[in-house]
Amino acid sequence: MPISRLLIAVTALTIFASGAADAAAPSDPLRSPGWESIVETFFPQSEILFDDRVEVVMPTRVEDAHDVPMAVKLSAELGHVREIVVIAENNPIQQVARLYPHRPLKAIGLKIRLESTTPVRAAALTDDGVWHVGSTAAEVLTPGGCSVPDNRVADEVSDRLGEIAFKTFDRDDGSARLKFRIIHPMQTGFAVSEDGEYIPAYFLEQMRIGDGDGPVVDIESRAAMAPDPIVTIDVPELGQTIRIQARDSQGLEFETKDADEPSM
Amino acid sequence: MRAFSFLGLVTALVLTVFAAGELRAQGMGGGDPGRRGYTYGLSPEEIAPGVYVFWGAQEPMTPENGANIVNTGFIVGDESVLAIDTGPTRLYGEEMLATIAKVTDKPVRMAVVTHHHFDHAFGMSVFKKANIPTMMHFGARPLLLRDGSGVLQFMEILVGANWVSRIEVDRPTRVTNRVETFDLGNRKVVVTPFENGHTPGDLVIYDEKTKTLFAGDLAFVGRTPTIPHADIPTWLDQIDIIEAMPWDRLVPGHGPLVTDRAQLTPMADYLRYLDDYVKRAVANGETLADSLDPPPPERFRDLAEIGVEYQRALLKLFRDVERQELDTTVR
Ligand SMILES: [Zn+2]
């Protein structure tokens, strides 16, 4: 058994045990035993506010734990948001993504992996140093989104690796939406293949989105994103020249080939 | 492998406590079958001479019903019996065989499994053990083997381990993609394949003598159709074909006996609605999260299980339609 994995497993057990022993965590509206450790890991010594202005929207029952769509909606009332982190609490990889917006983000759409029934959190850091947390609970009927191989993902890396597709939309509320997909297996490192070997972790770790007016958002991604991740962002405006760049955990870089607006 | 199972154990613990304490206690720790114990109390109805149906409940799968939400049946000829579907569990399959033996002493020569979904296929190992051949569409076999273990997990969460524990998901002894005719002794039964509609491989079974069609899940009546492996436009074409077949009575996979073709209209209407709604939403740039509200239109709200099944359907359709659309915009 690889040491690192044993450590992770033991840590998970410890956290679980301490969380269960101290059922306090009164501030968490979902009363999850894991919340305290989330605070220690992600928001140490920070002010936290459970806030309706950060809304997590997703299906309540999940049968395909490798590919769960979710959205985070951010109210304009929050003011300037410096950073957003999306967390699947009971995952072996808890952090799904961390986003650094260069323009106000109204909404984010992601596809994620869920290991088991879990709270899913989104936290937005405002300029006053407060993390505004929105939560929802997802019931996972087929546990193993991180630790069971996705039988739709081929063992060998696809020759489409790094292929980027995107489309922009004008939304009814006047905002602009960019939807993009990058072909990538997003292997977690926790899944065992049919021959009994761990499939090594291999995932996109950075995405940079920009247009003719400059950067839009930088995203630190993790393998808790679904294979062939699809990301949607809503911003007040998008320029004509969308540029999407990504780098994976082996250092391969991918970017959109041409800079023109796709025809709609 | 050891690390894997250890992590699995932790996961199971977290799942158990969290699900029981904070979300919804359901089915964990074995399930509660109620007064009856772990038996289904199967009792066949003879809907036409020699044609019997075990009617399933129009309910979600629960620890009380042990996932008996499906219609199965059998047809008795002068020499032998043909079973149609095998139920959701090994317990169901065993009870089905025992009950058939009380109705007739003729041997069961085959079980035709209409498609790979668990509620129809997971009793199959019982027939095989009794040396009764099992037959599926050849498009159904790979899906059964691929998805079987995941579905078992899911069933265990919903109905509890005691119902599920002895299920063996195994391949059928025969597959087909042709029209097959069986003579049960002065009784001809015709099995017809359908591809890539409700699932990659469905079979329907027609008893010529009584003009009875067992349509499997190509027909849902009064219950929301499930579409995890469906291609809706093809399925709609197949519903037209089924309507044109010369039956007097039709046994749907879920729901009551059909004697009037108009009973199939609501399911077709619902499928058409879903297909249009999702295609339009994806074209407008919506994501699933945008489209979970509003609820389905008024006219579908009486369908059994609409709440859960509508969300499942949107999840699956969004994934498919979004992928197809993005494939056309590769940079
Ligand atoms: Zn069914």
Side-chain angles (χ1 to χ4, degrees), chain A residues 63 117 139 166 177 179 181, chain B residues 26 285 290 312 322 327:
Chain A
E63 285 173 45
T117 290
E139 181 185 5
F166 72 86
R177 170 170 289 181
K179 187 189 272 186
R181 179 188 66 193
Chain B
Q26 52 165 349
D290 297 319
R312 281 180 91 194
E322 204 169 48
D327 282 345

Side-chain angles (χ1 to χ4, degrees), chain A residues 135-261:
Chain A
S135 311
T136 193
E139 181 185 5
V140 177
L141 299 181
T142 52
C146 299
S147 66
V148 176
D150 184 342
N151 50 29
R152 290 163 305 197
V153 175
D155 285 348
E156 65 282 3
V157 170
S158 157
D159 55 6
R160 290 170 68 188
L161 182 78
E163 173 196 290
I164 302 175
F166 72 86
K167 204 165 176 185
T168 57
F169 304 90
D170 295 324
R171 302 293 297 157
D172 286 345
D173 65 1
S175 57
R177 170 170 289 181
L178 169 68
K179 187 189 272 186
F180 67 92
R181 179 188 66 193
I182 307 178
I183 300 291
H184 205 284
M186 302 299 280
Q187 296 289 4
T188 60
F190 290 98
V192 178
S193 67
E194 269 173 29
D195 50 20
E197 299 286 314
Y198 277 102
I199 304 165
Y202 181 42
F203 53 95
L204 292 164
E205 53 185 24
Q206 204 165 77
M207 304 173 185
R208 317 193 70 156
I209 318 306
D211 64 9
D213 301 326
V216 176
V217 61
D218 295 337
I219 304 172
E220 219 179 83
S221 47
R222 292 291 174 265
M225 273 198 191
D228 303 339
I230 296 174
V231 178
T232 309
I233 54 166
D234 290 5
V235 288
E237 268 174 34
L238 272 175
Q240 285 299 301
T241 326
I242 305 292
R243 186 173 158 89
I244 299 165
Q245 300 164 282
R247 198 187 62 225
D248 74 17
S249 54
Q250 289 181 9
L252 291 180
E253 299 194 356
F254 314 104
E255 68 179 308
T256 39
K257 284 194 189 64
D258 72 46
D260 295 331
E261 175 74 359

Side-chain angles (χ1 to χ4, degrees), chain A:
Chain A
M1 167 191 276
I3 297 286
S4 61
R5 268 180 248 293
L6 177 63
L7 277 178
I8 289 165
V10 169
T11 313
L13 190 63
T14 315
I15 288 167
F16 168 69
S18 67
D22 178 6
S27 51
D28 173 20
L30 298 178
R31 302 165 133 264
S32 157
W35 172 245
E36 274 183 51
S37 81
I38 293 292
V39 172
E40 281 164 34
T41 310
F42 290 91
F43 317 114
Q45 276 103 49
S46 303
E47 194 178 330
I48 297 167
L49 186 67
F50 287 99
D51 194 332
D52 292 346
R53 293 173 298 178
V54 178
E55 195 190 347
V56 179
V57 185
M58 60 189 302
T60 45
R61 281 161 64 110
V62 172
E63 285 173 45
D64 187 348
H66 297 100
D67 185 358
V68 187
M70 65 165 296
V72 181
K73 295 183 180 175
L74 299 160
S75 161
E77 288 171 27
L78 288 167
H80 182 243
V81 171
R82 294 209 300 245
E83 189 179 332
I84 300 144
V85 60
V86 178
I87 299 163
E89 199 163 297
N90 291 342
N91 270 8
I93 302 167
Q94 293 175 315
Q95 179 183 319
V96 177
R98 208 178 266 278
L99 298 94
Y100 301 92
H102 298 280
R103 283 176 215 177
L105 282 183
K106 299 176 86 165
I108 304 151
L110 299 171
K111 308 251 265 174
I112 71 175
R113 295 174 180 274
L114 293 179
E115 180 61 19
S116 60
T117 290
T118 184
V120 177
R121 320 269 187 185
L125 176 65
T126 45
D127 284 338
D128 53 7
V130 177
W131 285 100
H132 301 259
V133 179
S135 311
T136 193
E139 181 185 5
V140 177
L141 299 181
T142 52
C146 299
S147 66
V148 176
D150 184 342
N151 50 29
R152 290 163 305 197
V153 175
D155 285 348
E156 65 282 3
V157 170
S158 157
D159 55 6
R160 290 170 68 188
L161 182 78
E163 173 196 290
I164 302 175
F166 72 86
K167 204 165 176 185
T168 57
F169 304 90
D170 295 324
R171 302 293 297 157
D172 286 345
D173 65 1
S175 57
R177 170 170 289 181
L178 169 68
K179 187 189 272 186
F180 67 92
R181 179 188 66 193
I182 307 178
I183 300 291
H184 205 284
M186 302 299 280
Q187 296 289 4
T188 60
F190 290 98
V192 178
S193 67
E194 269 173 29
D195 50 20
E197 299 286 314
Y198 277 102
I199 304 165
Y202 181 42
F203 53 95
L204 292 164
E205 53 185 24
Q206 204 165 77
M207 304 173 185
R208 317 193 70 156
I209 318 306
D211 64 9
D213 301 326
V216 176
V217 61
D218 295 337
I219 304 172
E220 219 179 83
S221 47
R222 292 291 174 265
M225 273 198 191
D228 303 339
I230 296 174
V231 178
T232 309
I233 54 166
D234 290 5
V235 288
E237 268 174 34
L238 272 175
Q240 285 299 301
T241 326
I242 305 292
R243 186 173 158 89
I244 299 165
Q245 300 164 282
R247 198 187 62 225
D248 74 17
S249 54
Q250 289 181 9
L252 291 180
E253 299 194 356
F254 314 104
E255 68 179 308
T256 39
K257 284 194 189 64
D258 72 46
D260 295 331
E261 175 74 359
S263 56
M264 301 197 20

Side-chain angles (χ1 to χ4, degrees), chain B residues 134-149:
Chain B
T134 51
M135 184 170 84
M136 294 180 100
H137 192 292
F138 102 131
R141 179 172 59 184
L143 285 164
L144 178 73
L145 300 176
R146 188 194 79 177
D147 294 348
S149 59

Side-chain angles (χ1 to χ4, degrees), chain B residues 2-60:
Chain B
R2 284 183 58 213
F4 175 63
S5 52
F6 186 39
L7 188 66
L9 175 68
V10 174
T11 303
L13 282 170
V14 172
L15 176 70
T16 308
V17 171
F18 189 72
E22 307 300 336
L23 285 180
R24 183 150 67 88
Q26 52 165 349
M28 307 304 297
D32 171 15
R35 290 230 173 96
R36 266 201 328 262
Y38 293 98
T39 58
Y40 290 99
L42 293 182
S43 154
E45 182 191 349
E46 188 171 14
I47 59 165
V51 180
Y52 297 82
V53 177
F54 298 106
W55 298 104
Q58 295 276 61
E59 293 171 1

